[in-house]
């Protein structure tokens, strides 16, 4: 098993009470499946995950992305401003 680090921002970090979490998983895994596993570990963020964008580095990525190595994925909740 290896790990994917999820960096949590905004409301996700507040709900999880932490800025990041490491998810132990088996590679390869589709990003959407990793997010499902993450929601099982942190059920308090479940309702907010669907609206989040996912990024690796400075690139937004699709949830169908196959992950085959350890990496860090940022979860970016939608923002509202005025």
């Amino acid at each position: 098993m290896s790990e994917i680090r999820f960096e949590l921002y905004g409301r996700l970090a507040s709900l999880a009470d932490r800025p990041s979490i490491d998810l132990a998983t088996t590679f390869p895994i589709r990003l959407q499946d990793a997010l499902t596993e993450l929601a099982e570990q942190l059920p308090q963020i479940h309702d907010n995950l669907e609206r989040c964008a996912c990024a690796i580095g400075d690139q937004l990525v699709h949830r169908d992305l196959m992950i085959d190595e350890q990496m860090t994925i940022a979860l970016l909740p939608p923002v509202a401003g005025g």
Side-chain angles (χ1 to χ4, degrees):
M1 272 204 171
S2 297
E3 293 181 341
I4 300 170
R5 170 161 284 190
F6 285 100
E7 293 178 344
L8 309 174
Y9 291 94
R11 180 153 174 77
L12 291 179
S14 296
L15 289 170
D17 198 30
R18 63 181 93 176
S20 66
I21 185 170
D22 294 330
L23 176 72
T25 192
T26 303
F27 295 128
I29 187 169
R30 193 171 58 108
L31 176 54
Q32 181 60 52
D33 297 330
L35 291 170
T36 299
E37 289 182 21
L38 179 65
E40 290 171 3
Q41 273 193 1
L42 292 173
Q44 65 270 34
I45 70 170
H46 179 270
D47 292 341
N48 293 273
L49 280 178
E50 284 194 30
R51 295 185 303 261
C52 290
C54 301
I56 298 173
D58 62 355
Q59 295 288 326
L60 293 178
V61 295
H62 195 273
R63 292 172 183 238
D64 284 336
L65 174 73
M66 289 302 294
I67 300 169
D68 58 6
E69 63 182 324
Q70 288 183 306
M71 63 177 50
T72 299
I73 298 171
L75 298 179
L76 309 168
V79 294

